[in-house]
Amino acid sequence: MHYENRQPTEGINVTQESAILRAVKLTVAALVLVLLLFAIFSFAGGWVARWIPFSVEQKVASLGFSESPLGESGTAPVDVVEATVALNELAQRVMLHMDIPEDMSITVHYIDDDVINAFATLGGHVFFYRGLIERLPHENALSMVMAHEIAHVVHRDPISGFGGAVSAQVLLSWVTGGAIDEITRFSTQLGTASFTRGMETRADTVAIDAVHRMYGHINGADELFRALVRESAKDPGRESWADEFLSTHPMNDDRIAAIQMLARENEWLLSGELTPKPAALSGGVAAIEPQAQ
Amino acid sequence: MGSFIVFVVLLLTGMIFGKIAETRHLKSIIKREQQLNRLPAVASRYPPSGEGVPNYQQLLVTGNVVIASDYFKTFLSGLINIFGGRVTPFESLLDRGRREALLRMKESADAVNADLVFNVKYHTATIQQTGKGAIEVLAYGTALIPKPMLTAKA
Amino acid sequence: MIISNLEFLPDQKVTRHIGLVQGSSVRSKHVGRDVMAGLKNIFGGELVGYTELLQDSRVEATERMIEQARSIGADAVLNVRFSTSSITAGAAEIFVYGTAVELADHG
C-alpha cells in the first residue's frame, strides 16, 4: 500500500465573497425589516387598542393621574378652581353639539403654566394650559380647541396612540434585547406626541362641525392656528414649543385652508358674532383683538 | 450614541485585525502543510500489514487549537442568523481550526519520527457562551513509528 | 502501556478485552484568561491560553485513563476516543475512553 498526502486546491470549503458587502446588505435589510415590523406593530397595536372598552381605559388612566381635575387634597388656588370649573362647563356645552357615546365622559384639567398647548389623553382626560387659553381671544376659538380634543377622545385616539407605542416598544425592546431606554420614556409620555396627522385632520373636521352647530357660524374657529402662526412670527428664535406642536400637527396654514374649504363645501357662514370667553378664563395677557373674518 | 460609536470602533477593529490575522494564519498553514505532506495522515482504520511492511510501534498523537472569532465575524453571523443562509464568516474559521489542529498533530508525530498517522479523527467543540464564538478543534490519530527508530529516540 | 485509537495492534495478539476505561478532567481558566479571551473575541486569532489548558486537561484525562487501565491489569487501551463538553461558560470537561485489553506476549 502506498500512502501520501496531496495538497487539495484552496478555498473549496470557504466561500469566496466580500464580507463587508454582505454585512452592508444584511444591515440594510435588517433595518428595513425592523422599520417594517415597527410600522406593523404600531398600526396593529393602535388598531387593537381601539377595541378596549372606555371603562377599562378610564381605569388604566386612573393609575396614572387623579380622576378629579382639582386634585385629591382640594388645596388648589381659587383661580385654578374657577378656571377648571369654567373649562368643564364649556366642555359640557360643546359636547351637546357632538356625537358622544353614552359611556364616555370628559374631564378637563387646567394647568397653570405658560405653555401654549392642550392635549387629550387616556380616560377622557383633556388638559388645557394657561398659556394657550390666554392667547385665544374668544370663546369660539376655545370651543374649537375643546371640540378638537374631545373628538380625539371620541375617536379613541389616545388609547390607540398608546397601544401603538406600547406594542412598538415591546418589539423594539425584543429586537434590541432591552437596550433602548429612550423608547420606554417615550411611550410613557401619553401626551399628544403619539397622534398621527390623520387623527388630527379627522379631529379638526369633527370639531369645526361642532363649532358650526354651536354658534351657527365658524368665525374665529381657526384662531388657534392664526395665533400659532403669529406667535412663531413674533419670536422666531424661541421656536421649541412651536416645533414640538407642529411636528405632529398638520401645518397651521394647511389647517386654516382645510377649514375654509370645508366651510365652502357646506356653505357655512364664515362671519358671525364672536362670543367672549367665560369670566374665569378671560384673565392674563390675552391681548389679541378679535378679527372680522 | 456613545455606545454606538464604541460598537462601530469594535466592528472596524475586528474587521481589520481579524482579516490580517486570518490572512497571516492561512499563509502559515499552507506553508507548513506543504512541508508536512511527506508525513501522510489518513482516516483509514486498518494499518498496513504483510510482507515488506516495517514493524511499527504505535503512539497516540494529538493536536489542538482554540480559535476565537473576531467582533466583525460574530456580528455578521448574527445578521445572517436573521435571514438564514450560508454562514461564510465561520467557514474560514472552522477551516483554519481543522487544518491547524491536524498540523499540530502531524508535528508531534514528526517529532517521534513517525511514518504515518492512522485513523485520524476530528473533534470540534465550542468554547465559552454561544454567540461569542470560539472553537476548539482536536485532531488525533495513531502514529506508526518504525520500531528501531523509536528505541533510538527513547 | 500502549494507547491507540486503532481497533487492534498489527503486530501483537489481543488475548482478553477487560472492559471500558475512562479518564476525565474538568478545568476552568482563571479570570485573567477570560479577560484576554474577551479581547481576542474582538481581534480574532488563537486563544493560546485555552489551547494549552485544554491540552493539559487532555493529558491529565489520559493519565487517569491509564491509571484505571493499570489498576485492572491491562497491557493496552485500544480504540481510544476523546470528547469535550462545556459544563458552564467557564469550564470544560475533557473525557477520554477506550477498551482495556491484555496482550499475548506482555506477561
Side-chain angles (χ1 to χ4, degrees), chain A residues 219-236:
Chain A
N219 187 13
D222 56 2
E223 192 54 43
L224 167 70
F225 316 121
R226 293 183 189 279
L228 288 173
V229 170
R230 267 199 303 276
E231 281 292 324
S232 53
K234 198 164 69 187
D235 193 358

Side-chain angles (χ1 to χ4, degrees), chain B residues 7-21:
Chain B
F7 167 75
V8 170
V9 168
L10 286 177
L11 209 59
L12 288 176
T13 314
M15 202 163 79
I16 295 163
F17 286 88
K19 188 75 195 166
I20 292 172

Side-chain angles (χ1 to χ4, degrees), chain C residues 63-79:
Chain C
E63 276 165 4
R64 286 178 173 185
M65 181 183 74
I66 291 171
E67 209 176 311
Q68 273 205 349
R70 198 169 280 141
S71 73
I72 57 171
D75 299 318
V77 185
L78 301 184
N79 206 9

Side-chain angles (χ1 to χ4, degrees), chain C residues 85-97:
Chain C
S85 36
S86 56
I87 308 294
T88 62
E93 190 215 17
I94 302 289
F95 185 56
V96 193
Y97 59 102

Side-chain angles (χ1 to χ4, degrees), chain C residues 14-81:
Chain C
V14 173
T15 52
R16 274 198 189 92
H17 286 71
I18 54 176
L20 198 66
V21 285
Q22 47 200 260
S24 152
S25 163
V26 186
R27 292 206 189 183
S28 160
K29 35 270 150 181
H30 62 80
V31 177
R33 283 251 193 269
D34 279 343
V35 171
M36 285 303 293
L39 283 178
K40 266 285 159 60
N41 267 318
I42 297 166
F43 297 101
E46 183 182 354
L47 303 174
V48 181
Y50 282 43
T51 306
E52 284 167 4
L53 180 104
L54 287 162
Q55 191 49 39
D56 291 351
S57 252
R58 221 157 257 136
V59 168
E60 186 184 46
T62 311
E63 276 165 4
R64 286 178 173 185
M65 181 183 74
I66 291 171
E67 209 176 311
Q68 273 205 349
R70 198 169 280 141
S71 73
I72 57 171
D75 299 318
V77 185
L78 301 184
N79 206 9
V80 166
R81 272 149 213 268

